[in-house]
Amino acid sequence: DAALAQGRASGKATAALVLAPEGLPDLADRFGPEAQDIALRRVVDRLSAALRDDDVLGQLVDGRLAIALSPMRRADLETLLQISGRALDALREPITIDGTTAYLSGSAGFCLQSRCPDPTGAALLAAAETALSEAQSNGTGAIRAYSAEMQKAVSRRHDLREELATALETRQIRPWFQPQISTDTGQVTGFEALARWAHPQRGLIPPVDFLGIVLQAGLSSRLTDEMLFQALSALRAWDQAGVHVPSVGVNFSDQELRDPELVDRIRWELDRFSLAPQRLTIEILETVVSGADDDVITRNIAALAQLGCGIDLDDFGTGHASISSIRRFTVRRLKIDRSFVTRVDRDREQQNLVAAILSMAERLNLETLAEGVETAGEHAMLAQLGCGHVQGFGIARPMPFEDTIGWIHRHREKLAQAASLGRQAG
Ligand code: C2E
Ligand code: CA
Ligand code: CA
């Protein structure tokens, strides 16, 4: 408050800077609880030396440090980025404890007086803390300046978090379905269930905008239950409508796969719908399989395969699953990531990569599906290379359940037409 008043009187401006040191708990683990205090003390000494006499340095909770800069003539973005950079350098200098060298790292957020939503010290500090949490969500060593949009993004995320539980209760979150077809027969071989939030005010929200919030709110298993229930309902409805959809794929996060009750939950749901386990495909990211040192994950996947569910290795090619882990997890199908599929018909390098994946899959007796197929050219090339199934905007975009039956009928008609044209031509 004093710096703001002083700034106003002298035509200069202040700014607030907040630093979050990282690595303090590690120091406590290595050197004992006093080590945190020793390290913080060093950091504070170095920072004080780097700051001007009238700057105010204070400690917030959790070891975070706040600086109120005494008013400057050039309190602009560039100057503050420089000051923040120097402060982080001070944080990163080696610290000697008990004759051993230790290192801290950290992130920084700041707010310029001119950008502050309210002319008070408290508001300036709060804005700098908002910028800091944005910096932290970008990883270690980041610096962020507060902006009004940032506040909107933060409060939007906050609002969504509040609304999430209700959204799950009231079925605002539902799967949309994207077809998968055989390159051999053209028939539908399955649908992937992809989460969509039909928000009453904001419209349709894609999963990238809410999956993180689901995770943070600890609602992953609620989401999966919901997706599973609605995917199985869809299978039953397709059966009742007399359209043949062999299987539906549901995405499972690693958090979900760590649930010791997962297999029982799935078995129970399948029983309740009287559906054979083969009708459900579990999509697991390759990165989850390659990083799975977790016993529960390994056992869950094996048990689901044992039960008869198909296991799809999602985004294949972006992780580094070993061949032995593909075997151990009894994976049924590789879902070749979109990054390999794009321009496969025009780019020799892409073709070689896809061909290599396909021949490995064949030797290992695995099925294959290419995702993100956008053009007829890509589709034709994948068929020619021997990829078993395709999925992507080129076949159809994800659609609400209500549209699926009509789409399947139209797709069948197209197939029949193509076949009769083929006969005429032949
Ligand atoms: P994913 O499992 O790799 O799903 C494929 C994504 O690619 C979907 O995005 C789909 O709409 C999009 N896509 C399909 N065909 C094409 C194409 O031809 N071109 C392009 N550019 N994109 C295509 P979406 O629906 O936004 O989902 C994004 C990710 O969110 C999914 O990636 C999946 O990892 C995750 N996700 C979606 N639903 C769920 C869910 O219920 N649970 C969990 N855990 N994750 C989910
Ligand atoms: Ca998927
Ligand atoms: Ca994928």
Side-chain angles (χ1 to χ4, degrees):
D1 286 333
L4 282 167
Q6 201 187 327
R8 272 193 293 274
S10 60
K12 299 176 184 173
T14 180
L17 170 62
V18 184
L19 298 169
E22 277 151 36
L24 287 171
D26 285 350
L27 288 188
D29 285 350
R30 277 174 63 199
F31 303 102
E34 331 67 69
Q36 293 204 33
D37 294 331
I38 299 174
L40 261 181
R41 196 68 249 158
R42 299 279 158 76
V43 169
V44 165
D45 288 346
R46 281 179 201 155
L47 279 174
S48 312
L51 295 169
R52 295 163 304 165
D53 286 349
D54 297 338
D55 297 336
V56 178
L57 173 63
Q59 193 173 331
L60 307 174
V61 286
D62 305 331
R64 281 175 301 147
L65 301 165
I67 301 164
L69 292 164
S70 80
M72 295 170 279
R73 214 166 289 290
R74 274 196 60 199
D76 58 11
L77 212 57
E78 201 186 322
T79 312
L80 258 293
L81 281 171
Q82 259 171 24
I83 296 177
S84 305
R86 279 209 303 275
L88 287 182
D89 286 345
L91 208 67
R92 283 191 286 249
E93 267 179 55
I95 296 168
T96 318
I97 301 173
D98 293 348
T100 315
T101 310
Y103 295 91
L104 291 178
S105 55
S107 310
F110 62 83
C111 180
L112 301 170
Q113 178 175 342
S114 58
R115 297 276 186 91
C116 190
D118 259 324
T120 66
L124 195 64
L125 181 59
E129 293 194 83
T130 300
L132 174 66
S133 50
E134 281 289 310
Q136 287 178 307
S137 68
N138 275 279
T140 300
I143 303 171
R144 287 292 176 275
Y146 175 85
S147 68
E149 292 78 60
M150 193 175 272
Q151 188 54 49
K152 271 188 225 138
V154 168
S155 63
R156 186 181 141 98
R157 276 204 296 276
H158 180 78
D159 290 350
L160 284 182
R161 193 166 316 155
E162 306 265 284
E163 291 164 354
L164 189 63
T166 326
L168 281 164
E169 295 302 321
T170 57
R171 296 262 148 90
Q172 284 173 26
I173 297 183
R174 298 177 50 194
W176 280 34
F177 295 92
Q178 187 177 34
Q180 306 168 328
I181 65 176
S182 156
T183 50
D184 201 16
T185 63
Q187 305 272 7
V188 174
T189 53
F191 276 90
E192 176 174 10
L194 294 158
R196 296 286 181 274
W197 182 349
H199 192 282
Q201 282 89 43
R202 297 174 207 261
L204 206 62
I205 307 178
V208 282
D209 290 347
F210 67 86
L211 284 177
I213 304 173
V214 170
L215 197 74
Q216 279 169 12
L219 288 169
S220 291
S221 62
R222 274 290 293 123
L223 175 72
T224 308
D225 280 347
E226 205 47 49
M227 293 294 288
L228 191 62
F229 177 82
Q230 296 191 45
L232 298 183
S233 306
L235 277 174
R236 192 166 57 186
W238 286 319
D239 287 354
Q240 280 164 358
V243 294
H244 182 56
V245 176
S247 176
V248 62
V250 176
N251 293 282
F252 286 77
S253 66
D254 62 334
Q255 197 186 45
E256 266 305 274
L257 292 163
R258 254 184 223 115
D259 176 1
E261 277 154 26
L262 182 70
V263 181
D264 284 337
R265 270 164 56 206
I266 291 179
R267 188 182 295 126
W268 193 81
E269 285 292 341
L270 286 164
D271 275 352
R272 165 150 85 134
F273 282 91
S274 310
L275 287 165
Q278 288 70 24
R279 305 290 301 280
L280 177 66
T281 298
I282 313 283
E283 295 206 9
I284 302 170
L285 290 173
E286 186 191 16
T287 45
V288 171
V289 168
S290 49
D293 40 16
D294 193 311
D295 265 359
V296 184
I297 294 192
T298 315
R299 263 182 282 138
N300 270 341
I301 300 176
L304 288 169
Q306 183 68 34
L307 183 66
C309 298
I311 308 290
D312 270 8
L313 209 49
D314 205 352
D315 294 1
F316 184 79
T318 63
H320 42 265
S322 64
I323 291 180
S324 62
S325 68
I326 291 176
R327 274 274 170 270
R328 186 152 33 100
F329 291 114
T330 29
V331 168
R332 189 197 62 184
R333 183 163 70 175
L334 304 182
K335 274 193 100 169
I336 303 170
D337 190 64
R338 180 160 71 91
S339 57
F340 299 98
V341 169
T342 306
R343 297 178 58 82
V344 69
D345 52 332
R346 291 151 189 234
D347 183 331
R348 194 84 228 172
E349 191 58 23
Q350 292 288 78
Q351 253 163 55
N352 291 339
L353 286 169
V354 171
I357 296 174
L358 292 173
S359 71
M360 180 192 77
E362 193 184 352
R363 291 294 167 89
L364 295 174
N365 215 4
L366 297 168
E367 290 182 43
T368 47
L369 180 150
E371 59 178 349
V373 179
E374 294 188 349
T375 68
E378 288 166 359
H379 186 162
M381 177 53 75
L382 288 158
Q384 194 185 324
L385 290 171
C387 184
H389 309 254
V390 283
Q391 173 185 348
F393 296 169
I395 293 98
R397 290 185 177 254
M399 59 189 99
F401 172 78
E402 299 76 53
D403 295 353
T404 55
I405 294 176
W407 184 86
I408 294 171
H409 285 310
R410 286 195 301 281
H411 179 70
R412 270 205 208 132
E413 278 160 28
K414 260 201 306 203
L415 280 182
Q417 245 167 24
S420 84
L421 277 176
R423 271 195 302 279
Q424 281 165 24

